[in-house]
Amino acid sequence: MDNDDLEARIAAKRQKKKQQGSKKSSKKASSSSGGGTATSLLEERIRAKQQANFQQEEESAAVAVASSAGNSIDYRDSDDDDDDGGGKPSAVERLEARLEEKKKEKKSKKKKKKRTSASNGVAADDVAAAAAAIDGWERDLQAKNDAYAAGENGRSDYGNGVARGSIASPANDDRHASAKSQASHRSDEEDGHAGEHDNFHENGHHGNQEDGDQYMQHMLDKSEADRLDQDRSFVKPDDQNGTNFSHGVEEFYPNVEADTEVMATINQEGLVQVDETGGIQAFVAETIAIEGDDVGIIKSDAEIEKEEKKKYTKYFLGTVACLIAVIAAIVVPLTLKFAKGNQVNQLNIITEEPTSSPSLMPSAMPSSMPSSVRFTRVVQKLTPLSGNALKVQGSPQYRAAMWISDEDEMQMPLSMPGFEQRYIMALFYFAMDGPLWVNSNGWLGPESECFWFGIDGVSEGCGGENTGGCKPRGDFVGDYDKVCRIGMGYANNLYGEFPKEMGFLTEMTYVEIQGDWLHGTLPPEMGEWRKLRAFLVNNNFIGGTFPPTFGENKMLGTIFLNNNRFNGTFPQVFSTLKNLEWLEADNNTFTGEIPESICNLKSLRIFTANNNTLNGYIPDNWDENNLIEDFELEDNNIRGPLPETLANAKFLKDLRLSNNQITGSFPISYYDFESLEELYLDRNKMGGELPQTAELFYDGLQELVIYNNAFEGRFPVEHFESTLRVKKLMLHDNQMTGVISDNICDRLDPERSYTRLTDLTVDCDLISCTCCTCYEDGVLVS
């Protein structure tokens, strides 16, 4: 509000106070003995000094306001009025006079002004406090009228435009009196009026004229009227003689009560600090603003900065919380997904079939095994096939049973023919680490297992366009398309052991798993493959021996076991496979002798067992009906002479017996080898002369490697001058003599292709040669 409105409201209230003067006079007189006389003296002196001290009053008010920056100052004055209304000017009258002087200065300013606090030394707080006081008078006018009538020398504390105390109650009068007395004392020291203030309190109501002057001057300096109605707190200091300066609040203000609801709202909003009795705690407002009838506190830059920091901190924490929630929403499902795909196998045994009647009490912990009725039935049906392995959680059998029970899209009835076969193929997938195969097309899909990769295809006696890799079912009831081949190719990254249940596939004719990571041993149940024609498992890590149960097979023609870890005595079962044509058992650790019965295999064409630890003699029971074409036993411990009967092998093309303990001379019967192309006898203990004959023994020979023996005599070089097929002649580290002709040396020409001689080595100190690679005493010379 502006100064004109304030002046009008003050005049109206002044008139009301004069009309009630008679009532207040009687109550004033009864409050304390001697009080009226002191008050009259003070009123007279006030009128006399009012004009002379007006300028000094303005300066003192500014000083008082400035000094309140560090400490809140109590401004004390008497609200008493006499009945005649002509002696002592009231606080309202004094405020009116001061506002009149400021009127001209304040009219030119805007309605909304910022008033700095006492710390900035500006006295504008007077107007703001007065405006607040007028608003307060309107709210509790009736209560104050009664309070003025009953009060005597009441004192109110105010600080920086905002009341520092609450309306006192009997319970805390002493506390308010002590606090206000100390505050008043500090204020008087700062203004240089401590002596007058203390003197007034010591003399109480019995003070003289000089005391009245001091008291009035004190009242003017403190600008008590500027904070008249922010709040009222009454001090009851006692003088040294025990005379009570003022009475309790109840006597002065019998009808005034603190509005607890308003005080609670004020406290809740944090505008001011309210103590436990409802009183307002003192505080300092650095800056206030006045707009119309509203007076508000303007916060300092530090406070605004602090609130901004709090606000941005809340925004930051909210953003972080949102980010955490989003990340959790993404990470948790992914974690659960990958954790589910990488479950660690646990060896938990499934419980037996539940009893017909439920138990009385449930178990303490839930079972980790599936509880579906179908799975239980699946386990029961497959137990004769897989046994207790079905009850080991995480085993290939358990996982296959779980799949065919709950995950197989086909959901084949348990009674349907071929149920066991589909389970076995799923078992093979899990046993061989199917999820990591290079090619696993179709596996565990909804189609028939006959069309899964590796099964689908055609081999001898197996497969067709409409049946995939299965043998078509017959016309009789209960028959089904039976799996008859598994051809996983080379290096498809299979890892695991053959499950014994594979033996149930009795129509199996072709198995090919090469260059993978198969380990363990071959289960004897695989001997049930009586129709097996080819078993190719070379380049793996299979150990143990070859199961003798394969001996009943009458159709097995090809066996590749090379580059594995088979051990034990060389299997006798091989000599019982009447249809065996091709046996490769290189690079294993077989021991013992090659059985003589191997010569009885009339279909055997290729027999290789290089790089084992075989010993004994080479079988010498070959007849003219044998079909052997390739016989290899390199890098073993074979001893004894070359078998004479091997000369009956008229189809023999490749004889490799290098790096053994073979002794004796070259058999004359070997001149009958009409088809011999490669002869490797190097690194043995043979001796004697090579055949010196006109026979065609050497005509078709392409590779003659006999170095590191004890052959002697003349080398029959003439037999090699007429042949164009020879590729290797490695003769060094022997005792042979002779001359290598220029015709043979010409065969070393790189421009030759098919007829080129690639290797020619001799002992140059024994055999004359201009183009040979020379050795002396087994050491390369040139």
Side-chain angles (χ1 to χ4, degrees):
M1 72 179 61
D2 57 20
N3 293 336
D4 293 337
D5 293 337
L6 180 62
E7 181 180 359
R9 294 176 64 181
I10 291 174
K13 289 187 177 293
R14 180 181 177 188
Q15 184 65 29
K16 289 181 181 181
K17 290 175 66 68
K18 288 181 178 181
Q19 293 175 359
Q20 297 174 359
S22 59
K23 295 181 181 180
K24 295 168 64 177
S25 177
S26 59
K27 293 184 179 181
K28 174 81 174 185
S30 60
S31 63
S32 175
S33 62
T37 302
T39 304
S40 298
L41 292 175
L42 291 174
E43 290 176 352
E44 292 175 0
R45 295 299 301 274
I46 289 172
R47 291 190 183 94
K49 297 182 67 173
Q50 185 173 6
Q51 296 298 327
N53 295 333
F54 184 76
Q55 185 65 33
Q56 182 179 358
E57 177 186 343
E58 291 292 316
E59 296 174 357
S60 300
V63 172
V65 173
S67 64
S68 63
N71 298 295
S72 299
I73 303 174
D74 286 339
Y75 295 93
R76 305 180 184 276
D77 192 14
S78 174
D79 292 334
D80 303 334
D81 288 325
D82 288 336
D83 294 340
D84 55 10
K88 172 187 173 183
S90 66
V92 177
E93 292 172 342
R94 293 195 303 273
L95 180 60
E96 179 181 3
R98 295 178 63 185
L99 292 177
E100 182 67 22
E101 185 69 21
K102 297 176 182 290
K103 181 176 180 181
K104 294 180 181 180
E105 179 183 354
K106 301 193 181 289
K107 281 185 178 181
S108 62
K109 296 182 180 180
K110 296 180 181 180
K111 289 184 178 183
K112 182 176 180 180
K113 299 177 182 180
K114 293 184 180 180
R115 298 293 187 237
T116 58
S117 64
S119 61
N120 295 324
V122 180
D125 295 286
D126 297 341
V127 178
I134 296 301
D135 291 337
W137 282 337
E138 290 179 349
R139 288 193 300 270
D140 57 355
L141 180 59
Q142 184 61 42
K144 290 177 180 177
N145 288 336
D146 296 340
Y148 278 118
E152 177 187 11
N153 296 328
R155 300 295 183 259
S156 301
D157 278 341
Y158 301 91
N160 291 332
V162 180
R164 295 191 296 120
S166 65
I167 296 176
S169 62
N172 63 349
D173 280 348
D174 295 338
R175 181 176 60 83
H176 280 290
S178 177
K180 297 180 190 310
S181 177
Q182 294 175 9
S184 298
H185 183 72
R186 291 193 304 269
S187 176
D188 290 338
E189 288 178 350
E190 293 171 359
D191 293 336
H193 298 287
E196 290 84 354
H197 179 76
D198 294 340
N199 186 39
F200 174 78
H201 279 282
E202 289 175 2
N203 291 283
H205 295 288
H206 304 287
N208 52 23
Q209 183 70 25
E210 183 179 357
D211 295 334
D213 292 342
Q214 294 176 354
Y215 174 69
M216 193 62 234
Q217 184 63 42
H218 171 75
M219 308 288 272
L220 294 174
D221 291 343
K222 299 306 184 254
S223 301
E224 177 274 344
D226 298 340
R227 292 143 179 91
L228 185 59
D229 200 48
Q230 292 294 325
D231 185 45
R232 293 196 177 272
S233 300
F234 299 91
V235 185
K236 300 191 300 180
D238 294 337
D239 58 14
Q240 296 177 356
N241 299 324
T243 304
N244 193 356
F245 182 78
S246 61
H247 296 282
V249 176
E250 296 170 349
E251 184 177 353
F252 284 90
Y253 302 97
N255 298 321
V256 178
E257 295 181 358
D259 192 334
T260 57
E261 182 178 356
V262 173
M263 297 306 293
T265 303
I266 292 174
N267 187 33
Q268 182 178 2
E269 294 178 354
L271 300 178
V272 295
Q273 299 298 320
V274 181
D275 61 17
E276 59 184 1
T277 62
I280 301 176
Q281 299 294 325
F283 72 97
V284 176
E286 295 183 359
T287 308
I288 64 172
I290 301 175
E291 182 177 6
D293 294 339
D294 296 329
V295 179
I297 298 173
I298 297 179
K299 299 178 181 179
S300 65
D301 293 341
E303 291 176 330
I304 294 174
E305 182 179 358
K306 184 177 181 181
E307 289 187 357
E308 288 295 327
K309 288 182 178 179
K310 289 183 179 179
K311 180 174 70 176
Y312 288 121
T313 300
K314 290 181 181 178
Y315 290 158
F316 175 76
L317 293 177
T319 303
V320 171
C322 292
L323 290 175
I324 292 174
V326 171
I327 293 172
I330 296 174
V331 172
V332 171
L334 292 176
T335 303
L336 295 176
K337 177 180 178 181
F338 286 108
K340 181 178 180 181
N342 296 278
Q343 292 179 347
V344 178
N345 295 337
Q346 299 179 357
L347 298 178
N348 294 332
I349 305 301
I350 188 173
T351 57
E352 297 295 334
E353 180 183 1
T355 58
S356 58
S357 60
S359 59
L360 296 178
M361 294 295 292
S363 58
M365 294 296 292
S367 172
S368 60
M369 305 298 290
S371 58
S372 67
V373 175
R374 177 175 170 82
F375 179 77
T376 303
R377 293 178 56 199
V378 167
V379 171
Q380 292 175 352
K381 183 175 181 63
L382 299 176
T383 295
L385 186 62
S386 297
N388 289 331
L390 288 164
K391 301 177 182 179
V392 179
Q393 186 177 8
S395 67
Q397 290 80 1
Y398 172 85
R399 297 171 68 187
M402 279 287 296
W403 174 80
I404 200 170
S405 172
D406 301 333
E407 302 174 24
D408 185 7
E409 296 182 31
M410 183 178 288
Q411 287 297 293
M412 180 184 294
L414 274 66
S415 59
M416 184 175 181
F419 180 84
E420 290 86 351
Q421 174 178 279
R422 191 168 177 84
Y423 158 75
I424 292 171
M425 298 320 300
L427 170 59
F428 177 80
Y429 176 83
F430 288 113
M432 296 294 178
D433 204 8
L436 297 180
W437 292 354
V438 175
N439 190 342
S440 60
N441 293 336
W443 284 82
L444 304 188
E447 288 187 310
S448 168
E449 61 275 11
C450 296
F451 297 95
W452 294 352
F453 168 78
I455 300 175
D456 186 15
V458 178
S459 56
E460 185 178 0
C462 175
E465 182 178 355
N466 298 322
T467 59
C470 291
K471 180 180 179 180
R473 62 181 178 271
D475 295 333
F476 58 90
V477 177
D479 197 12
Y480 58 93
D481 294 343
K482 298 179 177 64
V483 173
C484 56
R485 69 183 303 274
I486 296 178
M488 304 304 294
Y490 190 90
N492 197 39
N493 202 35
L494 276 71
Y495 179 88
E497 302 182 36
F498 277 108
K500 65 182 182 63
E501 290 84 350
M502 296 291 290
F504 180 83
L505 307 175
T506 57
E507 294 295 328
M508 189 68 66
T509 62
Y510 181 82
V511 175
E512 179 190 1
I513 305 175
Q514 304 181 75
D516 285 304
W517 305 90
L518 272 62
H519 55 271
T521 60
L522 299 177
E525 287 80 1
M526 296 174 69
E528 298 296 326
W529 293 343
R530 303 294 172 83
K531 299 179 181 180
L532 186 65
R533 296 174 182 268
F535 186 65
L536 314 178
V537 292
N538 53 295
N539 296 295
N540 282 284
F541 299 88
I542 304 173
T545 187
F546 193 82
T549 53
F550 276 87
E552 298 297 326
N553 189 297
K554 306 299 182 184
M555 304 181 69
L556 185 57
T558 304
I559 300 176
F560 286 179
L561 305 179
N562 48 301
N563 299 311
N564 274 285
R565 296 179 178 179
F566 289 105
N567 52 48
T569 303
F570 191 83
Q572 294 285 337
V573 65
F574 292 145
S575 61
T576 65
L577 301 176
K578 302 300 182 182
N579 201 44
L580 184 62
E581 298 179 4
W582 193 342
L583 173 62
E584 290 189 5
D586 306 329
N587 300 314
N588 286 285
T589 56
F590 286 123
T591 61
E593 298 182 7
I594 303 297
E596 287 284 338
S597 56
I598 201 77
C599 299
N600 299 327
L601 300 177
K602 305 305 181 183
S603 299
L604 185 63
R605 295 178 179 274
I606 300 174
F607 178 89
T608 66
N610 301 314
N611 194 25
N612 281 276
T613 55
L614 299 173
N615 51 36
Y617 295 89
I618 300 174
D620 192 9
N621 194 24
W622 304 93
D623 58 22
E624 296 179 355
N625 295 322
N626 73 79
L627 302 176
I628 191 72
E629 298 178 6
D630 188 354
F631 189 81
E632 301 180 15
L633 289 173
E634 292 183 330
D635 300 314
N636 282 284
N637 293 319
I638 302 298
R639 62 183 186 275
L642 293 175
E644 292 282 347
T645 59
L646 189 58
N648 294 325
K650 54 186 176 182
F651 299 105
L652 185 63
K653 296 180 179 181
D654 193 352
L655 177 61
R656 294 173 179 263
L657 301 174
S658 303
N659 195 24
N660 280 284
Q661 304 296 324
I662 299 174
T663 57
S665 61
F666 195 86
I668 297 178
S669 60
Y670 283 16
Y671 285 92
D672 297 332
F673 287 146
E674 299 177 0
S675 303
L676 189 63
E677 296 178 354
E678 300 175 2
L679 177 61
Y680 282 75
L681 300 175
D682 58 285
R683 293 171 292 170
N684 279 288
K685 297 179 179 181
M686 298 181 65
E689 294 185 1
L690 292 180
Q692 306 291 324
T693 179
E695 301 287 342
L696 297 178
F697 168 70
Y698 304 105
D699 185 55
L701 197 62
Q702 299 182 27
E703 299 178 10
L704 177 62
V705 181
I706 57 174
Y707 70 90
N708 196 6
N709 276 285
F711 291 112
E712 57 187 8
R714 189 183 71 85
F715 176 71
V717 65
E718 63 275 8
H719 293 287
F720 297 95
E721 289 181 343
S722 59
T723 180
L724 299 177
R725 300 181 63 184
V726 64
K727 302 293 188 299
K728 287 184 179 182
L729 287 175
M730 302 186 72
L731 312 175
H732 66 277
D733 202 12
N734 280 286
Q735 301 298 320
M736 294 184 294
T737 60
V739 177
I740 303 297
S741 65
D742 293 338
N743 186 27
I744 295 177
C745 287
D746 292 340
R747 303 274 302 279
L748 293 171
D749 187 356
E751 294 183 0
R752 294 176 178 266
S753 56
Y754 182 74
T755 61
R756 181 189 177 193
L757 182 63
T758 58
D759 294 288
L760 180 58
T761 64
V762 299
D763 295 311
C764 291
D765 58 338
L766 299 175
I767 297 178
S768 177
C769 180
T770 60
C771 62
C772 298
T773 301
C774 295
Y775 284 81
E776 291 183 6
D777 298 327
V779 179
L780 177 64
V781 176
S782 63

